[in-house]
Structures are given as structure tokens and as C-alpha cells.
């Protein structure tokens, strides 16, 4: 592996200016962090549950008190619109609050047996490594961190190379709130160095990885030697299925932001718009003005719907999928500095073309016609991914049939919502392993111990 720079340069994607440089954690730094985390975890797990819950609630309150600061930092380092960034900081607060409510509810079971009593204990794993991507730096860090802490673990968070600043600030806020030193540490660094060190470290019991399917597979393989527990949240290529009986106006109005939110850098983006052939042309007529109306620009401007892509590399990747000569609808984007790409909907695309089956991770969708319900399900499932999807129909029976037939973890009917911190989230097929969020979130950070106590001795 070539030497990695000793510092991470953080850019503002809307201006390309360097806004910070951060030392990159080395393997030695990771080793030292694991030692500190293990020490802190022992004391943390021994605290009374109510005390742990109280500290996590204080952390939530502290995040809330700094919500605007965190949001503005997210705008600067990730190019998110201010509205989205405020929601993201609020999501961290809510996750901490929700997880805090789980501390005293993390109960075992009592199972009937002869000759004694059988009970189970959900015990913390120890030190958990959370490896986060750049597309939603704050929420995704918190999806792993909040329930892991609540279940009695310590957390080492490695943010993405391009977006370490909000993570570092959250670690400071944890200390301000009174969380013990060493319990929640942030290790900004390079994936193959600091990330891999967490994956291979014998003192790290579990890795929560969110990122690309290619790296997720490496993480699973490298951790397998130690049977490391993993949760993998990976890529997606989600369908938005529009049946002829749907409220077409509503479906067309909602379609743009279902794949343009966060400039399309969203694992749940509905980038394959499948439309019943009989309404295909009408749907496109309705979609065109909705796409053209999307305001792309300075993400700090509250009236903007979509900001820039994260980096020059991401812009080049997105451009490579949108070759000349493709038909479709193009929106507008600023010129000049910044990694801008216009909202783009492609029509007449071969359903097997790379842009129709691979995760572009940019503001690009394809529209593919289908003939009937069976054809819609076949097309929806014709991808290696299975993360999200939407179904637009007025027929309740069809909504349920298609929801059951589409092989994906998070579906919505007549809407595009898919992520709530109190409902489970995760992928089928190449989109991941395990679930995050929801009522069972803490359980994913425990090992079940079964104890039989004889009453006959
Ligand atoms: P990435 O896989 O390149 O990087 C993700 C993280 O892994 C980063 O922190 C990176 O530094 C680290 N990493 C890289 N190489 C590593 C290695 N060898 N060992 C350990 N860690 C390593 O992904 P990305 O480009 O940052 O994020 C975009 C991807 O994330 C997309 O594919 C997207 O779909 C996916 N994603 C999935 C979800 C989900 O919940 N399913 C959510 C958001 C993003």
C-alpha cells in the first residue's frame, strides 16, 4: 500500500477551498485508542443503568444546544443544504435520546426449564468500531454510536477522509456532556490505515461499517479471521415503481427529491424510476417541470434544494455515466468553482446499461417502462442491490403484494420515506448485513449469555 498523507485536507465542496487540516490517525494511534476505550468500557458497563441513560440524555441535550453549529459545519465540509444539515444534527440528538431510553429496557429472558431457573443476559460486546462514509457523516456515525454506547460498549469512530469535522466536534460535545474520557473517541484517518486497523484489531469486538459494497466485503473478509461481528450498510440502486393507477401528479412531484436529496449521494436514492408503459409519456410530461424547478446552488442558502457533489473524484465518476447522446431531462447547476452536476433523468436507456444497474451516487436517474405488475417486480429485482424502494399505486392489495415481492429492506408506499430512527433499517442482497435503528438497535451490540441455576442443589 502506498504511503498515505499524514494529514487530511478538508475542502468545502461548494468552493473547493481548504477549510481545515486534521492529523490522520496511524495504526499506533488506533492501538492506543483501543487500550483507552477498553478501560473506559469496563467502568461504563458497571455504571447503574439509570446513570448511563442520564449521561446519554445529557449528550443529546448538549448536541441540541450546538445544533446550529454542527449543521453549519456539515454544510461547509459536506456541501449539504442547511435544511438537511439541521435535520441531520437533530437526528443525532434524537438517536441519543432514543438509545438512552433503551438502557433500562435492555432486558434478558426467563425461560422455563426443569430443576432450576434459566435466564439470559444481554452483555455488551466491549469496544465497537464504527466506520462511517462521507455522504451522511453525522447521522450514520450516530446510528452505530448511540445504541452501542447505550448497550454498555465503548465506541471508536472513524469518519470518512473528507468529512472528519462534525465527528470530532461530537466527541468534544460528549466530554462536555460528562461522558467518561476514552468512551467515545474519534479517529480521523485513511480507510486502509486507521479503518483497517480497527477491522483487524483483536481488541475491537464489532465493526459497524457503512460505505461501498466493495470495501464492505473487504471489511467482512478481514474481520472473519477473528470472527469479528459486523453490521454492513452498503450500496443501493433503488426502484421507484409508478403504476398507472397511481396519483401521477403526486408521484411526479415527489420523484425529483427521491433521488436528488443530498445531490443523489444517498444509498436509498430512488434512481430507477419504473413507470407503467401506458402512463410513461404522461409521467415524463409531469416530471420535466418538477426537475427543472429544483434549485441547485450554495448549500448555505436556505432556498436551495440541492448542493454540490462531495469531491472532484465523485464529479468525474458521475460524469462518466452520463455519456453524450442520451435523451432525457436536465436541470440547471452553477458554473465555476465547486463540484456541480445538474439534476438528470435519462430515458430510452438499456435496462442493463451501467447507469441503469450500478450505483452512480449522484443526481442521475433512469426511467424504464414496464408492462404489468410481474414485469415491474422483475425489473425492480434485476439488480444486485436491495436497500430501498417506493411503490406508487391506489390499489392496497397491489401495494402489499409488490412490497412483499421486492427484495429490499426498506420500502415505502405512496411516499419516499425510508429512514426513521425508531424503525429498522438495512439491506437485502449486496446492500448489507444486519439491521440498524429501530426497537432492536441495542441488541445488535450485545452478546446473549444463558445461565441455568439449579434449584436442586
Ligand atoms: P467507502 O467504502 O469508500 O468508504 C466508507 C468508509 O470506509 C470510509 O470511512 C473509508 O475511509 C473507510 N474505508 C475505506 N477503505 C477501508 C478499508 N480497507 N478498511 C476499513 N475501512 C475502509 O464509501 P464512501 O464512498 O465513503 O461512501 C459511499 C458508499 O456508502 C455508497 O456506496 C453508499 O451507498 C454507501 N452508503 C450506504 C448506506 C447504508 O446505510 N446502506 C448509507 C450511506 C452510504
Amino acid at each position: 500500500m502506498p504511503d498515505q498523507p499524514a494529514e487530511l485536507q478538508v475542502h468545502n465542496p461548494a468552493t473547493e477551498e481548504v477549510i481545515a487540516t486534521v492529523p490522520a490517525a496511524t495504526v499506533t494511534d488506533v492501538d492506543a485508542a483501543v487500550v483507552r476505550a477498553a478501560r473506559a468500557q469496563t467502568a461504563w458497563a458497571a455504571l447503574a443503568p439509570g446513570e448511563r441513560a442520564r449521561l446519554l440524555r445529557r449528550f443529546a441535550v448538549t448536541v441540541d444546544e450546538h445544533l446550529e453549529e454542527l449543521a453549519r459545519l456539515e454544510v461547509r465540509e459536506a456541501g449539504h443544504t442547511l435544511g438537511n444539515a439541521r435535520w441531520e444534527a437533530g437526528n443525532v440528538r434524537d438517536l441519543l435520546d432514543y438509545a438512552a431510553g433503551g438502557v433500562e429496557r435492555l432486558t434478558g429472558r426467563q425461560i422455563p426449564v426443569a430443576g432450576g431457573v434459566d435466564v439470559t443476559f444481554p452483555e455488551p460486546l466491549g469496544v465497537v468500531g464504527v466506520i462511517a462514509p462521507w455522504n451522511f457523516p453525522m447521522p450514520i456515525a450516530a446510528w452505530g454510536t448511540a445504541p452501542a454506547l447505550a448497550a454498555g460498549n465503548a465506541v471508536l469512530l472513524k469518519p470518512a477522509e473528507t468529512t472528519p469535522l462534525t465527528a470530532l466536534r461530537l466527541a468534544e460535545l460528549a466530554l462536555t456532556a460528562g461522558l467518561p474520557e476514552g468512551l467515545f473517541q474519534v479517529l480521523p484517518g485513511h480507510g486502509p490505515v486507521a479503518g483497517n486497523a480497527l477491522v483487524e484489531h483483536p481488541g475491537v469486538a464489532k465493526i459497524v461499517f457503512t460505505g461501498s459494497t466493495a470495501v464492505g466485503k473487504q471489511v467482512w473478509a478481514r474481520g472473519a479471521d477473528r470472527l469479528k461481528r459486523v453490521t454492513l450498510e452498503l450500496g443501493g440502486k433503488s426502484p421507484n415503481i409508478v403504476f398507472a393507477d397511481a396519483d401521477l401528479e403526486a408521484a411526479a412531484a415527489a420523484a425529483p427529491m427521491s433521488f436528488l436529496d443530498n445531490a443523489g449521494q444517498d444509498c436509498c436514492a430512488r434512481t430507477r424510476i419504473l413507470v407503467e408503459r401506458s402512463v410513461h409519456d404522461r409521467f415524463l410530461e409531469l416530471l420535466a417541470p418538477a426537475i427543472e424547478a429544483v434549485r441547485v446552488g450554495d448549500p448555505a442558502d436556505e432556498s436551495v434544494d440541492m448542493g454540490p457533489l462531495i469531491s472532484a473524484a465523485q464529479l468525474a465518476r458521475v460524469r462518466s455515466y452520463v455519456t453524450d447522446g442520451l435523451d432525457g431531462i436536465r436541470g440547471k447547476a452553477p458554473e465555476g468553482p465547486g463540484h456541480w452536476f445538474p439534476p438528470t433523468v435519462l430515458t430510452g436507456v438499456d435496462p442493463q446499461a451501467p447507469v441503469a444497474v450500478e450505483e452512480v451516487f449522484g443526481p442521475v436517474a433512469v426511467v424504464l417502462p414496464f408492462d404489468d405488475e410481474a414485469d415491474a417486480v422483475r425489473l425492480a429485482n434485476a439488480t444486485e442491490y436491495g436497500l430501498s424502494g417506493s411503490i406508487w399505486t391506489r390499489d392496497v392489495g397491489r401495494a402489499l403484494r409488490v412490497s412483499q415481492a421486492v427484495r429490499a429492506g426498506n420500502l415505502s408506499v405512496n411516499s419516499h420515506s425510508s429512514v426513521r430512527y425508531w424503525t429498522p433499517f438495512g439491506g437485502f442482497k449486496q446492500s448489507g448485513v444486519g439491521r440498524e435503528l429501530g426497537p432492536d438497535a441495542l441488541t445488535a451490540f450485545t452478546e446473549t449469555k444463558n445461565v441455568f441455576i439449579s434449584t436442586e442443589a
Side-chain angles (χ1 to χ4, degrees), residues 132 134-135 158 161 191 209-212 233-235 267 359 361 425:
W134 46 261
N135 65 328
K158 198 213 78 69
E161 291 82 340
F209 172 85
T210 306
S212 59
E233 296 287 2
L234 309 175
C267 53
E359 185 178 46
F361 229 49
F425 179 81

Side-chain angles (χ1 to χ4, degrees), residues 334-398:
E335 313 257 318
H339 311 302
W340 305 101
F341 197 86
T344 302
V345 176
L346 302 174
T347 55
V349 172
D350 175 354
Q352 305 303 320
V355 71
V357 292
E358 293 175 13
E359 185 178 46
V360 176
F361 229 49
V364 180
V366 297
V367 175
L368 302 172
F370 65 83
D371 294 317
D372 54 21
E373 189 177 310
D375 195 30
V377 169
R378 182 192 60 75
L379 260 178
N381 286 333
T383 153
E384 62 178 4
Y385 296 114
L387 192 55
S388 296
S390 305
I391 300 146
W392 289 79
T393 176
R394 288 190 170 102
D395 178 338
V396 178
R398 165 176 279 164

Side-chain angles (χ1 to χ4, degrees), residues 230-420:
V230 290
T231 299
L232 304 175
E233 296 287 2
L234 309 175
K237 187 75 182 175
S238 298
N240 173 11
I241 311 171
V242 183
F243 286 97
D245 70 359
D247 179 341
L248 281 192
E249 280 74 14
M257 292 320 288
S258 79
F259 75 95
L260 297 174
D261 193 49
N262 203 19
Q265 303 164 122
D266 180 346
C267 53
C268 292
R270 272 59 162 183
T271 51
R272 289 187 304 141
I273 309 176
L274 314 181
V275 184
E276 194 158 355
R277 202 176 295 277
S278 59
V279 294
H280 175 268
D281 292 354
R282 173 70 187 135
F283 181 79
L284 285 182
E285 274 170 28
L286 293 167
L287 184 61
I291 292 289
E292 284 151 11
V294 173
R295 287 154 304 183
V296 183
D298 177 2
D301 174 347
E302 300 203 34
S303 68
V304 154
D305 302 310
M306 186 182 120
L309 293 164
I310 186 77
S311 63
Q314 193 62 18
L315 178 60
R317 175 184 159 81
V318 173
R319 277 195 183 130
S320 74
Y321 280 99
V322 186
T323 44
D324 289 344
L326 289 172
D327 287 335
I329 308 163
R330 311 276 167 116
K332 292 181 264 325
E335 313 257 318
H339 311 302
W340 305 101
F341 197 86
T344 302
V345 176
L346 302 174
T347 55
V349 172
D350 175 354
Q352 305 303 320
V355 71
V357 292
E358 293 175 13
E359 185 178 46
V360 176
F361 229 49
V364 180
V366 297
V367 175
L368 302 172
F370 65 83
D371 294 317
D372 54 21
E373 189 177 310
D375 195 30
V377 169
R378 182 192 60 75
L379 260 178
N381 286 333
T383 153
E384 62 178 4
Y385 296 114
L387 192 55
S388 296
S390 305
I391 300 146
W392 289 79
T393 176
R394 288 190 170 102
D395 178 338
V396 178
R398 165 176 279 164
L400 286 171
R401 275 195 309 277
V402 176
S403 298
Q404 287 171 331
V406 173
R407 307 266 308 143
N410 316 276
L411 296 171
S412 50
V413 175
N414 296 331
S415 85
H416 294 297
S417 81
S418 55
V419 185
R420 294 184 180 83

